[in-house]
């Protein structure tokens, strides 16, 4: 059995930390990160203000990402995922392979839409998002005004597109909550889903 969950988040929303913690708690669990599919800087477009347009699908090798997910789904056992000893896992979770896909632009790319069991979206208010972003070092580094000029507007555009799409089944999570609270909620949600899968 395969179970795939997608974590989408505003920049610095906490998705990577959450994904890593879940991986340690769940049997036969693996992570694919959208950040690993960025094009090199030379291939990323620049707008008229001189901003590198990283927060758009064109900045990513999305077809390669889909291929990686599909390859994992074809043979999860050969993906290098750590297989737990059976007695450590609940009986009803044996032989379920779990894939966490985490990124910031996952839900408006059509080829990904058939590959998920659960979708989560971590949100943050503007001030908190900007504060967290300012504490991180990026390669290439954010240019002055980049957050307000590109990052935040693209996030709002993307989130609005999702909210306007009635068929989108997404569980929105408040990224200002503690990691423990978020982890507890998502973990129990996944266990419920896995139990349904095994019924």
């Amino acid at each position: 059995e395969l179970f795939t969950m997608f974590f989408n988040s505003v920049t610095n929303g906490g998705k990577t930390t959450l994904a890593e913690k879940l991986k340690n708690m769940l049997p036969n669990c693996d992570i694919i990160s959208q950040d690993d599919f960025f094009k090199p800087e030379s291939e990323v477009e620049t707008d008229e203000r001189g901003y590198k347009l990283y927060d758009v699908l064109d900045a990513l090798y999305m077809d390669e990402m889909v291929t990686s997910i599909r390859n994992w789904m074809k043979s999860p056992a050969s993906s290098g995922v750590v297989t737990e000893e059976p007695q450590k896992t609940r009986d009803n979770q044996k032989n379920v392979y779990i894939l966490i896909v985490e990124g910031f632009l996952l839900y408006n790319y059509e080829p990904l839409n058939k590959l998920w069991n659960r979708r989560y979206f971590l949100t943050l208010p503007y001030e908190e998002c900007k504060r967290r972003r300012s504490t991180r070092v990026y390669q290439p580094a954010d240019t002055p005004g980049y957050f307000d000029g590109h990052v935040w507007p693209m996030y709002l555009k993307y989130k609005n597109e999702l909210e306007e799409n009635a068929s989108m089944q997404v569980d929105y999570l408040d990224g200002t909550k503690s990691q423990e609270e978020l982890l507890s909620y998502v973990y129990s949600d996944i266990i419920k889903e896995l139990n349904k899968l095994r019924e």
Side-chain angles (χ1 to χ4, degrees), residues 85-168:
E85 291 301 312
Q87 69 268 21
K88 282 194 198 165
T89 67
R90 301 179 189 189
D91 284 349
N92 65 349
Q93 285 168 38
K94 278 183 210 162
N95 306 323
V96 176
Y97 286 92
I98 301 166
L99 179 64
I100 300 172
V101 179
E102 58 103 353
F104 67 105
L105 279 177
L106 296 175
Y107 302 153
N108 60 356
Y109 188 66
E110 195 59 42
L112 288 176
N113 282 348
K114 298 173 184 68
L115 302 179
W116 56 274
N117 292 92
R118 288 294 274 136
R119 289 195 286 202
Y120 303 94
F121 194 123
L122 281 148
T123 63
L124 281 179
Y126 168 83
E127 291 296 347
E128 176 60 13
C129 187
K130 190 171 186 176
R131 185 192 68 74
R132 289 188 194 182
R133 176 104 180 181
S134 69
T135 65
R136 294 271 289 275
V137 178
Y138 287 91
Q139 286 301 331
D142 281 356
T143 50
Y146 188 67
F147 180 84
D148 287 318
H150 176 61
V151 177
W152 188 254
M154 292 314 293
Y155 161 67
L156 291 181
K157 175 178 182 285
Y158 173 56
K159 187 163 170 280
N160 288 341
E161 282 171 12
L162 287 189
E163 288 168 347
E164 283 166 15
N165 184 344
S167 66
M168 270 295 173

Coordinates of all heavy atoms in Angstrom, one line a residue, residues 85-168:
E85 N 11.4 -2.6 11.7 CA 11.1 -4.0 12.1 C 9.6 -4.1 12.3 O 9.0 -3.2 13.0 CB 11.8 -4.3 13.4 CG 13.4 -4.3 13.2 CD 13.7 -5.4 12.2 OE1 13.2 -6.5 12.3 OE2 14.6 -5.1 11.3
P86 N 8.9 -5.2 11.9 CA 7.5 -5.2 12.0 C 6.9 -5.0 13.4 O 5.9 -4.4 13.6 CB 7.2 -6.7 11.5 CG 8.3 -7.0 10.6 CD 9.5 -6.3 11.1
Q87 N 7.7 -5.5 14.4 CA 7.1 -5.4 15.8 C 7.0 -3.9 16.2 O 6.3 -3.6 17.1 CB 7.8 -6.3 16.8 CG 9.2 -5.8 17.1 CD 10.3 -6.5 16.2 OE1 9.9 -7.0 15.1 NE2 11.5 -6.6 16.6
K88 N 7.8 -3.1 15.6 CA 7.8 -1.7 16.0 C 6.6 -0.9 15.5 O 6.2 0.1 15.9 CB 9.0 -1.0 15.5 CG 10.3 -1.2 16.2 CD 11.3 -0.2 15.8 CE 12.7 -0.7 16.2 NZ 13.7 0.1 15.5
T89 N 6.0 -1.4 14.4 CA 4.9 -0.7 13.8 C 3.6 -1.4 14.2 O 3.6 -2.6 14.4 CB 5.0 -0.7 12.3 OG1 4.9 -2.0 11.8 CG2 6.3 -0.2 11.8
R90 N 2.5 -0.7 14.2 CA 1.2 -1.3 14.4 C 0.9 -2.3 13.3 O 1.2 -2.0 12.2 CB 0.1 -0.2 14.5 CG 0.3 0.8 15.5 CD -0.8 1.8 15.4 NE -0.5 3.0 16.3 CZ -1.4 3.9 16.5 NH1 -2.6 3.8 16.0 NH2 -1.1 4.9 17.3
D91 N 0.2 -3.4 13.6 CA 0.0 -4.4 12.6 C -0.7 -3.8 11.4 O -0.4 -4.2 10.3 CB -1.0 -5.5 13.2 CG -0.2 -6.4 14.1 OD1 1.1 -6.3 14.1 OD2 -0.8 -7.2 14.9
N92 N -1.6 -2.9 11.6 CA -2.4 -2.4 10.4 C -1.5 -1.4 9.6 O -2.0 -0.9 8.6 CB -3.7 -1.8 10.9 CG -3.5 -0.5 11.7 OD1 -2.4 -0.2 12.2 ND2 -4.5 0.2 12.0
Q93 N -0.3 -1.1 10.0 CA 0.5 -0.2 9.2 C 1.7 -0.9 8.5 O 2.5 -0.3 7.9 CB 1.1 0.9 10.1 CG 0.0 1.9 10.4 CD 0.5 2.9 11.5 OE1 1.6 3.3 11.6 NE2 -0.4 3.2 12.4
K94 N 1.8 -2.2 8.7 CA 2.8 -3.0 8.0 C 2.6 -2.9 6.6 O 1.5 -2.8 6.1 CB 2.7 -4.4 8.4 CG 3.4 -4.8 9.7 CD 3.4 -6.3 10.0 CE 3.3 -6.6 11.5 NZ 2.8 -7.9 11.7
N95 N 3.7 -2.8 5.8 CA 3.6 -2.8 4.4 C 2.9 -1.6 3.8 O 2.5 -1.6 2.6 CB 3.0 -4.1 3.8 CG 3.7 -5.3 4.4 OD1 4.9 -5.3 4.5 ND2 2.9 -6.3 4.7
V96 N 2.8 -0.5 4.6 CA 2.3 0.7 4.0 C 3.6 1.6 3.8 O 4.3 1.8 4.8 CB 1.3 1.5 4.9 CG1 1.0 2.8 4.3 CG2 0.1 0.6 5.0
Y97 N 3.8 2.1 2.6 CA 4.9 3.0 2.4 C 4.4 4.4 2.2 O 3.4 4.6 1.6 CB 5.7 2.6 1.1 CG 6.5 1.4 1.2 CD1 6.0 0.1 1.0 CD2 7.8 1.5 1.7 CE1 6.7 -1.0 1.1 CE2 8.6 0.3 1.9 CZ 8.0 -0.9 1.6 OH 8.8 -2.1 1.8
I98 N 5.0 5.3 3.0 CA 4.5 6.7 3.1 C 5.5 7.6 2.4 O 6.7 7.6 2.7 CB 4.3 7.1 4.5 CG1 3.3 6.1 5.2 CG2 3.8 8.5 4.7 CD1 3.3 6.2 6.7
L99 N 5.0 8.5 1.5 CA 5.8 9.5 0.9 C 5.3 10.9 1.3 O 4.1 11.2 1.2 CB 5.8 9.4 -0.6 CG 6.6 10.5 -1.3 CD1 8.1 10.3 -1.0 CD2 6.4 10.4 -2.9
I100 N 6.2 11.7 1.8 CA 5.8 13.1 2.1 C 6.5 14.0 1.0 O 7.7 13.9 0.7 CB 6.4 13.6 3.5 CG1 5.8 12.7 4.6 CG2 6.1 15.1 3.7 CD1 6.5 13.0 6.0
V101 N 5.7 14.7 0.3 CA 6.2 15.7 -0.7 C 6.0 17.1 -0.1 O 4.9 17.5 0.3 CB 5.4 15.6 -2.0 CG1 5.9 16.6 -3.0 CG2 5.5 14.1 -2.6
E102 N 7.1 17.8 0.0 CA 7.0 19.1 0.6 C 7.5 20.2 -0.3 O 8.5 20.0 -1.0 CB 7.7 19.2 2.0 CG 9.1 18.8 2.0 CD 10.0 20.0 2.1 OE1 9.5 21.2 2.1 OE2 11.2 19.9 2.3
G103 N 6.8 21.3 -0.4 CA 7.2 22.4 -1.3 C 6.3 23.6 -1.1 O 5.5 23.7 -0.2
F104 N 6.5 24.6 -2.0 CA 5.7 25.9 -1.9 C 4.8 26.1 -3.0 O 4.0 27.0 -3.0 CB 6.7 27.0 -1.7 CG 7.6 27.3 -2.9 CD1 7.3 28.4 -3.7 CD2 8.6 26.4 -3.3 CE1 8.0 28.6 -4.9 CE2 9.3 26.6 -4.5 CZ 9.0 27.7 -5.3
L105 N 4.9 25.3 -4.1 CA 4.0 25.4 -5.3 C 3.6 24.0 -5.7 O 4.1 23.6 -6.8 CB 4.8 26.1 -6.4 CG 4.9 27.6 -6.4 CD1 5.7 28.1 -7.6 CD2 3.5 28.3 -6.4
L106 N 2.8 23.4 -5.0 CA 2.5 22.0 -5.3 C 1.1 21.8 -5.9 O 0.8 20.8 -6.6 CB 2.6 21.1 -4.0 CG 4.0 21.0 -3.4 CD1 3.9 20.1 -2.1 CD2 4.9 20.3 -4.4
Y107 N 0.1 22.7 -5.5 CA -1.3 22.4 -5.8 C -1.9 23.0 -7.0 O -3.0 22.8 -7.3 CB -2.1 22.8 -4.6 CG -1.7 22.1 -3.3 CD1 -1.9 22.7 -2.1 CD2 -1.0 20.9 -3.3 CE1 -1.5 22.0 -0.9 CE2 -0.6 20.2 -2.2 CZ -0.9 20.8 -1.0 OH -0.5 20.2 0.2
N108 N -1.1 23.8 -7.8 CA -1.6 24.3 -9.0 C -0.8 23.7 -10.2 O -0.9 24.3 -11.3 CB -1.6 25.8 -9.1 CG -0.2 26.4 -8.9 OD1 0.7 25.7 -8.7 ND2 -0.1 27.7 -9.0
Y109 N -0.2 22.6 -10.0 CA 0.5 21.9 -11.1 C -0.2 20.6 -11.4 O -0.2 19.7 -10.6 CB 2.0 21.7 -10.7 CG 2.8 21.1 -11.8 CD1 3.1 21.9 -13.0 CD2 3.3 19.8 -11.8 CE1 3.8 21.4 -14.0 CE2 4.1 19.3 -12.9 CZ 4.3 20.1 -14.0 OH 5.0 19.7 -15.0
E110 N -0.9 20.6 -12.5 CA -1.9 19.6 -12.8 C -1.4 18.1 -12.6 O -2.0 17.3 -12.0 CB -2.4 19.8 -14.2 CG -3.7 19.0 -14.5 CD -4.9 19.3 -13.6 OE1 -5.1 20.5 -13.3 OE2 -5.5 18.3 -13.2
P111 N -0.2 17.8 -13.2 CA 0.3 16.4 -13.1 C 0.5 15.9 -11.7 O 0.5 14.7 -11.5 CB 1.7 16.5 -13.8 CG 1.6 17.6 -14.7 CD 0.7 18.7 -14.0
L112 N 0.6 16.8 -10.7 CA 0.7 16.3 -9.3 C -0.7 16.0 -8.7 O -0.7 15.3 -7.7 CB 1.3 17.4 -8.4 CG 2.8 17.7 -8.6 CD1 3.3 18.8 -7.7 CD2 3.7 16.4 -8.3
N113 N -1.7 16.4 -9.3 CA -3.1 16.4 -8.7 C -3.6 15.0 -8.5 O -4.5 14.8 -7.7 CB -4.1 17.2 -9.5 CG -3.9 18.7 -9.2 OD1 -3.2 19.0 -8.2 ND2 -4.5 19.5 -10.0
K114 N -3.1 14.0 -9.2 CA -3.6 12.6 -9.0 C -2.7 11.8 -8.1 O -2.9 10.6 -7.9 CB -3.7 11.9 -10.4 CG -4.7 12.6 -11.3 CD -4.7 12.0 -12.7 CE -5.6 12.8 -13.6 NZ -5.1 14.2 -13.9
L115 N -1.7 12.4 -7.5 CA -0.7 11.6 -6.8 C -0.8 11.7 -5.3 O 0.1 11.1 -4.6 CB 0.7 12.1 -7.2 CG 1.0 12.0 -8.7 CD1 2.4 12.5 -9.0 CD2 0.9 10.6 -9.3
W116 N -1.8 12.3 -4.7 CA -1.8 12.5 -3.3 C -3.0 11.8 -2.6 O -4.0 11.5 -3.2 CB -1.9 14.0 -3.0 CG -3.1 14.7 -3.6 CD1 -3.2 15.2 -4.9 CD2 -4.4 14.8 -3.1 NE1 -4.5 15.6 -5.2 CE2 -5.3 15.4 -4.1 CE3 -5.0 14.5 -1.8 CZ2 -6.6 15.7 -3.9 CZ3 -6.4 14.8 -1.7 CH2 -7.1 15.4 -2.7
N117 N -2.8 11.5 -1.3 CA -3.8 11.0 -0.4 C -4.4 12.1 0.5 O -5.5 12.2 0.8 CB -3.4 9.8 0.5 CG -3.1 8.6 -0.3 OD1 -2.0 8.4 -0.8 ND2 -4.1 7.8 -0.5
R118 N -3.4 12.9 1.0 CA -3.8 14.1 1.9 C -3.0 15.3 1.5 O -1.8 15.2 1.1 CB -3.5 13.7 3.3 CG -4.4 12.7 4.0 CD -5.8 13.2 4.1 NE -6.1 14.0 5.3 CZ -6.9 15.1 5.3 NH1 -7.3 15.6 4.2 NH2 -7.1 15.7 6.4
R119 N -3.6 16.5 1.6 CA -2.9 17.7 1.3 C -3.1 18.7 2.4 O -4.2 18.9 2.9 CB -3.4 18.3 0.0 CG -3.1 17.5 -1.3 CD -3.3 18.3 -2.5 NE -4.7 18.5 -2.9 CZ -5.1 18.7 -4.1 NH1 -4.2 18.9 -5.1 NH2 -6.3 18.8 -4.4
Y120 N -1.9 19.3 2.8 CA -1.9 20.3 3.9 C -1.3 21.6 3.3 O -0.4 21.5 2.4 CB -1.1 19.8 5.1 CG -1.6 18.5 5.6 CD1 -1.0 17.3 5.2 CD2 -2.6 18.4 6.6 CE1 -1.5 16.1 5.7 CE2 -3.0 17.2 7.1 CZ -2.5 16.0 6.7 OH -2.9 14.9 7.2
F121 N -1.7 22.7 3.9 CA -1.2 24.0 3.5 C -0.9 24.8 4.8 O -1.8 25.1 5.5 CB -2.2 24.7 2.6 CG -1.6 25.9 1.9 CD1 -1.6 25.9 0.5 CD2 -1.0 26.9 2.5 CE1 -1.1 27.0 -0.2 CE2 -0.4 28.0 1.8 CZ -0.5 28.1 0.4
L122 N 0.4 25.1 5.0 CA 0.7 25.8 6.2 C 0.8 27.3 5.8 O 1.4 27.7 4.9 CB 2.1 25.4 6.7 CG 2.2 24.2 7.5 CD1 3.5 23.4 7.2 CD2 2.1 24.5 9.0
T123 N 0.0 28.1 6.6 CA -0.1 29.5 6.3 C 0.5 30.4 7.4 O 0.6 29.9 8.5 CB -1.6 30.0 6.1 OG1 -2.2 29.8 7.4 CG2 -2.3 29.2 5.0
L124 N 0.9 31.6 7.1 CA 1.5 32.5 8.1 C 1.0 33.9 7.7 O 0.8 34.2 6.5 CB 3.0 32.6 8.0 CG 3.8 31.5 8.6 CD1 5.3 31.8 8.4 CD2 3.6 31.4 10.1
P125 N 0.7 34.7 8.7 CA 0.4 36.2 8.4 C 1.7 36.9 7.9 O 2.8 36.4 8.2 CB 0.0 36.7 9.8 CG 0.5 35.8 10.8 CD 0.7 34.5 10.2
Y126 N 1.5 38.0 7.2 CA 2.6 38.7 6.6 C 3.7 39.0 7.5 O 4.9 38.7 7.2 CB 2.0 40.0 6.0 CG 3.0 41.0 5.5 CD1 3.6 40.9 4.3 CD2 3.3 42.1 6.4 CE1 4.5 41.9 3.9 CE2 4.3 43.0 6.0 CZ 4.9 42.9 4.7 OH 5.8 43.8 4.3
E127 N 3.4 39.6 8.6 CA 4.5 40.1 9.5 C 5.4 38.9 10.0 O 6.6 39.0 10.0 CB 4.0 40.9 10.7 CG 3.3 42.2 10.4 CD 4.3 43.2 9.9 OE1 5.5 43.0 10.0 OE2 3.9 44.2 9.3
E128 N 4.8 37.9 10.4 CA 5.5 36.7 10.9 C 6.3 36.1 9.8 O 7.5 35.7 10.0 CB 4.5 35.7 11.5 CG 5.2 34.4 12.0 CD 6.3 34.6 13.1 OE1 6.4 35.7 13.7 OE2 7.0 33.6 13.3
C129 N 5.7 36.0 8.6 CA 6.4 35.4 7.5 C 7.7 36.2 7.1 O 8.8 35.7 6.9 CB 5.5 35.3 6.3 SG 6.2 34.4 4.9
K130 N 7.5 37.5 7.1 CA 8.6 38.4 6.7 C 9.7 38.3 7.8 O 10.9 38.3 7.5 CB 8.1 39.9 6.6 CG 9.1 40.8 6.0 CD 8.5 42.2 5.7 CE 9.5 43.1 5.0 NZ 9.0 44.4 4.6
R131 N 9.3 38.3 9.1 CA 10.3 38.2 10.2 C 11.1 36.9 10.0 O 12.3 36.9 10.1 CB 9.5 38.2 11.5 CG 10.5 38.2 12.7 CD 9.7 37.9 14.0 NE 9.3 36.5 14.1 CZ 10.0 35.5 14.3 NH1 11.4 35.6 14.4 NH2 9.5 34.2 14.4
R132 N 10.4 35.7 9.8 CA 11.1 34.5 9.6 C 12.1 34.5 8.4 O 13.2 34.0 8.5 CB 10.1 33.3 9.5 CG 9.4 33.0 10.8 CD 8.6 31.7 10.6 NE 7.6 31.5 11.7 CZ 6.8 30.5 11.8 NH1 6.9 29.5 10.9 NH2 5.9 30.4 12.8
R133 N 11.6 35.0 7.3 CA 12.4 35.0 6.1 C 13.6 35.8 6.3 O 14.7 35.5 5.8 CB 11.5 35.7 5.0 CG 12.3 35.8 3.7 CD 11.9 34.8 2.6 NE 12.6 35.0 1.4 CZ 12.5 34.2 0.3 NH1 11.6 33.2 0.4 NH2 13.2 34.4 -0.8
S134 N 13.5 36.9 7.1 CA 14.7 37.8 7.3 C 15.8 37.1 8.1 O 17.0 37.5 8.1 CB 14.3 39.1 8.0 OG 13.9 38.8 9.3
T135 N 15.4 36.0 8.8 CA 16.5 35.3 9.6 C 17.2 34.2 8.9 O 18.1 33.6 9.4 CB 15.8 34.7 10.9 OG1 14.9 33.6 10.4 CG2 15.1 35.7 11.7
R136 N 16.7 34.0 7.6 CA 17.3 32.9 6.8 C 18.3 33.4 5.8 O 18.1 34.5 5.3 CB 16.2 32.1 6.1 CG 15.3 31.4 7.0 CD 15.7 29.9 7.3 NE 15.6 29.1 6.1 CZ 14.5 28.4 5.8 NH1 13.4 28.6 6.5 NH2 14.5 27.6 4.7
V137 N 19.3 32.6 5.5 CA 20.3 33.0 4.4 C 20.0 32.2 3.2 O 19.9 31.0 3.2 CB 21.7 32.8 4.9 CG1 22.7 33.1 3.8 CG2 22.0 33.5 6.2
Y138 N 19.7 32.9 2.1 CA 19.4 32.2 0.8 C 20.6 32.4 -0.2 O 21.3 33.3 -0.1 CB 18.1 32.9 0.2 CG 16.9 32.5 0.9 CD1 16.4 33.2 2.0 CD2 16.2 31.3 0.6 CE1 15.3 32.9 2.7 CE2 15.1 30.9 1.3 CZ 14.6 31.7 2.3 OH 13.5 31.4 3.0
Q139 N 20.7 31.4 -1.1 CA 21.6 31.4 -2.2 C 20.8 31.4 -3.5 O 20.2 30.4 -3.7 CB 22.6 30.2 -2.1 CG 23.6 30.3 -1.1 CD 24.5 31.6 -1.2 OE1 24.7 32.1 -2.3 NE2 25.0 32.1 -0.1
P140 N 20.7 32.4 -4.3 CA 21.3 33.8 -4.0 C 20.5 34.5 -3.0 O 19.4 34.2 -2.7 CB 21.2 34.4 -5.4 CG 20.0 33.8 -6.0 CD 20.0 32.3 -5.6
A141 N 21.2 35.5 -2.3 CA 20.6 36.2 -1.2 C 19.4 37.1 -1.7 O 19.4 37.5 -2.9 CB 21.6 37.1 -0.6
D142 N 18.4 37.3 -0.9 CA 17.3 38.1 -1.2 C 17.8 39.6 -1.5 O 18.6 40.1 -0.7 CB 16.3 38.2 -0.1 CG 15.3 37.0 0.0 OD1 15.4 36.1 -0.9 OD2 14.5 36.9 0.9
T143 N 17.4 40.2 -2.6 CA 17.7 41.6 -2.8 C 16.8 42.4 -2.0 O 15.7 42.0 -1.7 CB 17.6 41.9 -4.3 OG1 16.4 41.4 -4.8 CG2 18.7 41.2 -5.1
P144 N 17.2 43.7 -1.8 CA 16.3 44.6 -1.0 C 14.9 44.7 -1.7 O 14.8 44.8 -2.9 CB 17.0 45.9 -1.1 CG 18.4 45.6 -1.2 CD 18.5 44.3 -2.1
G145 N 13.8 44.6 -0.9 CA 12.5 44.7 -1.4 C 12.0 43.4 -2.1 O 10.8 43.4 -2.5
Y146 N 12.8 42.3 -2.1 CA 12.4 41.1 -2.8 C 11.2 40.4 -2.2 O 10.3 40.0 -2.9 CB 13.6 40.1 -2.8 CG 13.4 38.9 -3.7 CD1 13.3 39.0 -5.1 CD2 13.3 37.6 -3.1 CE1 13.1 37.9 -5.9 CE2 13.1 36.5 -3.9 CZ 13.0 36.7 -5.3 OH 12.8 35.5 -6.0
F147 N 11.1 40.4 -0.9 CA 10.0 39.8 -0.2 C 8.7 40.5 -0.5 O 7.7 39.8 -1.0 CB 10.2 39.8 1.4 CG 9.1 39.1 2.1 CD1 9.0 37.8 2.3 CD2 8.0 39.9 2.6 CE1 7.9 37.1 2.9 CE2 6.9 39.3 3.3 CZ 6.9 37.9 3.5
D148 N 8.6 41.8 -0.4 CA 7.4 42.6 -0.7 C 7.1 42.6 -2.2 O 6.0 42.7 -2.6 CB 7.5 44.0 -0.1 CG 7.4 44.0 1.4 OD1 6.5 43.3 1.9 OD2 8.2 44.7 2.0
G149 N 8.2 42.6 -3.0 CA 8.0 42.8 -4.4 C 7.7 41.5 -5.2 O 7.1 41.6 -6.2
H150 N 8.2 40.4 -4.7 CA 8.0 39.2 -5.4 C 7.4 38.0 -4.6 O 6.4 37.4 -4.9 CB 9.3 38.7 -6.1 CG 9.2 37.4 -6.8 ND1 8.3 37.2 -7.9 CD2 9.8 36.2 -6.6 CE1 8.4 35.9 -8.3 NE2 9.3 35.3 -7.5
V151 N 8.1 37.7 -3.5 CA 7.7 36.5 -2.7 C 6.3 36.6 -2.1 O 5.5 35.6 -2.4 CB 8.7 36.3 -1.5 CG1 8.3 35.1 -0.7 CG2 10.1 36.1 -2.0
W152 N 6.0 37.6 -1.4 CA 4.6 37.7 -0.8 C 3.5 37.8 -1.8 O 2.5 37.1 -1.7 CB 4.6 38.8 0.3 CG 3.3 38.8 1.1 CD1 2.3 39.7 0.9 CD2 3.0 37.9 2.1 NE1 1.3 39.3 1.8 CE2 1.7 38.2 2.5 CE3 3.6 36.8 2.6 CZ2 1.0 37.5 3.5 CZ3 2.9 36.1 3.7 CH2 1.6 36.4 4.1
P153 N 3.6 38.7 -2.8 CA 2.6 38.8 -3.8 C 2.3 37.4 -4.6 O 1.2 37.1 -4.8 CB 3.1 39.8 -4.8 CG 4.1 40.6 -4.1 CD 4.7 39.7 -3.1
M154 N 3.4 36.7 -4.8 CA 3.2 35.4 -5.5 C 2.5 34.4 -4.6 O 1.7 33.6 -5.1 CB 4.6 34.8 -6.0 CG 5.2 35.6 -7.1 SD 4.1 36.1 -8.5 CE 3.7 34.5 -9.2
Y155 N 2.8 34.4 -3.3 CA 2.2 33.5 -2.4 C 0.7 33.9 -2.3 O -0.2 33.0 -2.4 CB 2.8 33.7 -1.0 CG 1.9 33.2 0.2 CD1 1.6 31.9 0.3 CD2 1.4 34.1 1.1 CE1 0.8 31.4 1.3 CE2 0.6 33.7 2.1 CZ 0.3 32.3 2.2 OH -0.5 31.9 3.3
L156 N 0.3 35.2 -2.2 CA -1.1 35.5 -2.2 C -1.8 35.1 -3.4 O -3.0 34.6 -3.4 CB -1.2 37.1 -2.0 CG -0.8 37.6 -0.6 CD1 -1.0 39.1 -0.5 CD2 -1.5 36.9 0.6
K157 N -1.2 35.3 -4.6 CA -1.8 34.9 -5.9 C -2.1 33.4 -5.9 O -3.2 33.0 -6.2 CB -0.8 35.3 -7.0 CG -1.3 34.9 -8.4 CD -0.2 35.4 -9.4 CE -0.7 35.1 -10.8 NZ -0.5 33.6 -11.2
Y158 N -1.1 32.7 -5.5 CA -1.2 31.2 -5.5 C -2.3 30.7 -4.5 O -3.1 29.9 -4.8 CB 0.2 30.6 -5.1 CG 0.2 29.2 -4.9 CD1 -0.2 28.3 -5.9 CD2 0.7 28.6 -3.7 CE1 -0.2 26.9 -5.6 CE2 0.8 27.3 -3.5 CZ 0.3 26.4 -4.5 OH 0.4 25.1 -4.3
K159 N -2.3 31.3 -3.3 CA -3.3 30.9 -2.3 C -4.7 31.3 -2.7 O -5.6 30.5 -2.5 CB -2.9 31.6 -0.9 CG -3.8 31.2 0.2 CD -3.1 31.5 1.5 CE -4.0 31.3 2.7 NZ -5.0 32.4 2.9
N160 N -4.8 32.5 -3.4 CA -6.2 32.9 -3.9 C -6.7 31.9 -4.9 O -7.8 31.6 -5.0 CB -6.1 34.3 -4.4 CG -6.0 35.3 -3.3 OD1 -6.3 35.0 -2.2 ND2 -5.5 36.5 -3.7
E161 N -5.8 31.5 -5.8 CA -6.1 30.5 -6.9 C -6.7 29.2 -6.2 O -7.6 28.7 -6.7 CB -4.9 30.2 -7.8 CG -4.6 31.3 -8.8 CD -3.3 31.0 -9.5 OE1 -2.7 29.9 -9.3 OE2 -2.8 31.9 -10.2
L162 N -6.0 28.8 -5.2 CA -6.4 27.6 -4.5 C -7.8 27.8 -3.9 O -8.7 26.9 -4.0 CB -5.5 27.2 -3.4 CG -4.1 26.6 -3.7 CD1 -3.4 26.2 -2.5 CD2 -4.2 25.5 -4.7
E163 N -8.0 28.9 -3.2 CA -9.2 29.1 -2.5 C -10.4 29.3 -3.4 O -11.5 29.0 -3.1 CB -9.1 30.3 -1.5 CG -8.2 30.0 -0.3 CD -7.8 31.2 0.5 OE1 -7.9 32.3 0.0 OE2 -7.3 31.0 1.6
E164 N -10.1 29.8 -4.6 CA -11.2 29.9 -5.6 C -11.6 28.6 -6.3 O -12.6 28.5 -6.9 CB -10.8 31.0 -6.7 CG -10.9 32.4 -6.2 CD -10.2 33.4 -7.1 OE1 -9.8 33.0 -8.2 OE2 -9.9 34.5 -6.6
N165 N -10.7 27.6 -6.2 CA -10.9 26.3 -6.8 C -11.7 25.4 -5.9 O -11.1 24.8 -5.0 CB -9.6 25.7 -7.3 CG -9.8 24.4 -8.0 OD1 -10.8 23.8 -8.0 ND2 -8.7 24.0 -8.7
A166 N -13.0 25.3 -6.1 CA -13.8 24.6 -5.2 C -13.5 23.1 -5.1 O -13.7 22.5 -4.0 CB -15.3 24.7 -5.6
S167 N -12.9 22.6 -6.1 CA -12.6 21.1 -6.1 C -11.3 20.8 -5.3 O -10.9 19.6 -5.1 CB -12.4 20.6 -7.5 OG -11.3 21.2 -8.1
M168 N -10.6 21.8 -4.9 CA -9.3 21.6 -4.1 C -9.6 21.1 -2.7 O -10.1 21.9 -1.9 CB -8.5 22.9 -4.1 CG -7.6 23.2 -5.2 SD -6.2 22.0 -5.3 CE -5.6 22.5 -6.8

